[in-house]
Amino acid sequence: MTLGKTIDGKAFAEKLRGRVAVGVADFVAKTGRKPGLAVVLVGEDPASSVYVRSKGKATVEVGMESLEFKRPATISQEELLELVEELNGDPSVDGILVQLPLPKHLDDAEVIARINPAKDVDGFHVVNAGKLAVGDPTALVPCTPMGCLMLLKDELGDLSGKEAVVIGRSNIVGKPMAALLLGESCTVTIAHSRTHDLAGVVHRADIVVAAVGRPEMVKGSWIKPGATVIDVGINRVPADEEGKTKIVGDVDTAGAISHCAGITPVPGGVGPMTIAVLLRNTLVAASAREGLPMPEGL
Ligand code: GUN
């Protein structure tokens, strides 16, 4: 029995943040200003507030300007669109991120559509989704799938010709992940809740990316021996101890580790990559806005 290794996303994310910090220093030397990331938080959802706080801290740590715009859950769609327009027109803002989900009375799609695609560091705007789909290298790419791709390339090197199965078809992870893997010349299958024989489909894969949001749904026995597994899931479930909870992924890690070559743990795998890639995307967007070449090593 081969025991797979744990893929340390936390360590990789730290290295990436270090490279971003070097790129930021170079940007500041060339332009005399810091790249700026504006994060908009509507309402007081505790999980969103935690994310926004860690994003702000990480932004400052790499030498960028962090601007936070907190608005009450009662904000109207028109007021939120006005704020987005203001940030679009603000020359000190290179990246705009509107934390999702928004309260139910607000229309996410309309808000995202209003963000200047050149400042869309989440890569959610249809212009960026379209650029990714046609392989335009100027696309801003969603942070989580970009982080997954970086981990895969670091583990496996050239991905060309590999069988990749992406489980989940969201616009935020599954679809852009599939486009990125296709861009690396993988043979890509997108599986989802209606897929027949998911176990059989997963068993074909050299690369499995699980992004379904269902705790430990992907069983260890489904994994082909020697495959590499990226677990995007973050699911809170009851812990063994009464009244406590814990975070698990979409993959049965304990079962998969004896089959696979490597697997990202939850927590400490994909999660830390997302913010690191957000910082990278902000520097990429800032450099493009200043007419500077793509920063090196990112
Ligand atoms: N909510 C959870 N993750 C994300 C993300 O990556 N971007 C945005 N905008 N909202 C989120």
Side-chain angles (χ1 to χ4, degrees), residues 39-40 48 51 55 96-101 112 122 124 142-144 172 274 278:
V39 175
V40 178
S48 291
Y51 281 137
K55 281 172 191 166
I96 302 170
L97 180 147
V98 178
Q99 184 68 26
L100 302 176
I112 291 165
D122 260 328
F124 293 166
C143 302
T144 299
I172 292 177
T274 299
L278 173 68

